[in-house]
Amino acid sequence: MSADPFADRPVPMPRGRRSTELAMLVFALAVVLLAYCAASLGLSGKLPSGPLLYIVVFAVLMLAAHLAVRRYAPHADPLMLPLAALLNGLGIVMIYRLQESGRNGNPGNQVAGLLTSATQTQLLWTGVGIVALVAVLVLISELRVLQRYTYTMGALGLVLLAIPALLPSSHSTVNGAKVWIIFGGFSIEPGEFARLALAVFFAGYLVAKRDVLALAGRRVLGIDLPRARDLGPVLIAWAATLLILIFETDIGTAALFFGMFIAMLYIATQRVSWLLIGVLLFLFGTWVTANLFHHVMERFTVWLHPFAGSNPTGIAYQPVQALEGLAFGGLFGTGLGHGQPYYTPLVQSDFIFSAFGEELGLVGVMAMLLVFGLLVQRGLRAALAVNDPFAKLLIGGLSFVLALQVFVIVGGISGLIPLTGVTTPFLSQGGSSLVASWILVGLLVRASDTARKPAPQPIQDEGMTQVVRAA
Amino acid sequence: MNALELTLIRIGFLAVLWLFVIAAIGVVRTDLFGPAAARRKRARVPRPQPVTAPVSKSRPTRSRGPNQLLVTAGSLAGTSLGLTDQQITIGRANDATLVLSDDYASTRHARLFPQDGQWLVEDLGSTNGTYLDRQKVTRPTPVPVGVPIRIGKTVLELRR
């Protein structure tokens, strides 16, 4: 990185920072415990008695993750795990709070679709997520090894994406979104994992092709236009996302995939023209689908005219409830357990951010967005520092898509952009999203460990030369 | 529970949440600049001159001449090196100042060195040659600021 004022001084770069990580993790767990107590006090006026076990189990899981990082990625970034742990913990507290509303003499309605075991299930999925994180750290000693599976991962990703479209509705559709695989009482959302697999594919593909994509082509009006035949992969990605849109009625996922691919193209080639082409293609695709399909057009109507006519009680009921929740929360929120988030349908999954907005207010929500922002920043930082171009692209793309996902859902809830159903990473109820998010953290931790590992001591030529690691 | 206690819990939790964010930012800061104690120490103690460094009489005047070498293209694009009065060796060798991972670069490809207040580039017998702008470098040649030096797929520039 350039313009470092200490470039020529020996900066004591702290490398193994596991004790910092532990301290921050304990801090995060303390915040979660406090939130849990506050929620319980707010609901029933009593401190939690029995279910304090939830927090103990959560703390044990997170400390296990810390020990795994200590063992398998000793040089990793000290913030990634605590940030993710805080978000996951706050999500569990909010699910507990929603689960309890209307039950055991607490005020409010019962949230439809939340069983009395919702918190336990979420905790169980957290456990699975931590196991996945540890598995990533143990199995992938360097991100580079993933490059071998470029096309395998691409095929896997497309298959995972396509399965719900091919399954009959009874095994794939929940609340109108055909993105699930449902068998028995068990359901997973394969798109969450497809995103990780396709990120590996894009990164491997672009590392191989980036020179062609960047260098060939003409310059028109100060913009480097790529050659027509190099547009092929972008057009294929675009077509694939449109097909997802059409068959699975899932605009959010389509936007995430396309955004991820364009961002990775941009990182690989450093050509602004790809951003322009991507945005234009996306706008065109959205315009076409909005005119072809009623349900896409409806999203725009809800976005632009949520309060018009019968919309607040009709098609815009859910987003209007969320907006009213945010307004009710105001600057400092109602306090955990004191709001009425149960009025918003599906508040536990897609709309969980509006529940936080209502009970923690703008001040609390800003802090949470900053935590997301810091996680993304640490990811991008690792991408900058890591040497291997494949890992750089993969981590850059995944960090970006994490930011994009938060933007899409929070922007949708707050009415900035049309609402599309994507999960809020770490917070929403749902196992697939949580496990995929923890795998993502595993990849970020692995990348930062590789980036910060001290270089093997080179043989010095008596001060005449200095070895500079490519930053 | 009275209203005061409720408000205290509400605001207290938000304060703790923000404290966490601030602590996290503090960790980021330490990562960038090193621990606070070391930072103060560096500021107090002037940097000792490297003992083995040859003291050049014709030290390049820092106000006029270039002060950094920037990689503008290639796999290291964006990397910059501060220019001191020591030579910079470029190549794939591990002991080079700028280690290239470029198939078109030689192990000891070229060197940049200061002489009489300007920087010169010299090809060290590389296979694919070193180019200053479009000209192949055959003997030590002065490098003006901002003129690209091409080594394999890597492009370097002196910046002021």
Side-chain angles (χ1 to χ4, degrees), chain A residues 184-204:
Chain A
F186 193 74
S187 59
I188 65 166
E189 204 178 345
E192 300 280 347
F193 300 102
R195 193 186 309 149
L196 297 173
L198 284 178
V200 172
F201 167 67
F202 288 156

Side-chain angles (χ1 to χ4, degrees), chain A residues 205-229:
Chain A
Y205 175 84
L206 290 172
V207 162
K209 297 283 161 72
R210 61 174 168 169
D211 287 346
V212 182
L213 291 170
L215 296 177
R218 282 173 302 150
R219 217 178 149 77
V220 178
L221 296 173
I223 298 166
D224 292 303
L225 285 183
R227 291 185 303 185
R229 62 179 137 164

Side-chain angles (χ1 to χ4, degrees), chain A residues 35-105:
Chain A
Y36 187 67
C37 293
S40 190
L41 274 175
L43 279 170
S44 57
K46 299 193 291 279
L47 277 174
S49 49
L52 194 61
L53 192 65
Y54 291 152
I55 298 301
V56 174
V57 172
F58 181 71
V60 168
L61 283 173
M62 291 305 135
L63 292 174
H66 167 73
L67 289 179
V69 172
R70 210 172 248 269
R71 172 85 174 76
Y72 294 105
H75 305 285
D77 191 290
L79 272 183
M80 290 169 173
L81 186 63
L83 294 173
L86 178 78
L87 291 169
N88 191 349
L90 289 180
I92 287 178
V93 168
M94 185 49 83
I95 286 166
Y96 168 76
R97 180 253 173 278
L98 292 171
Q99 172 205 311
E100 287 297 301
S101 79
R103 290 200 172 96
N104 303 326

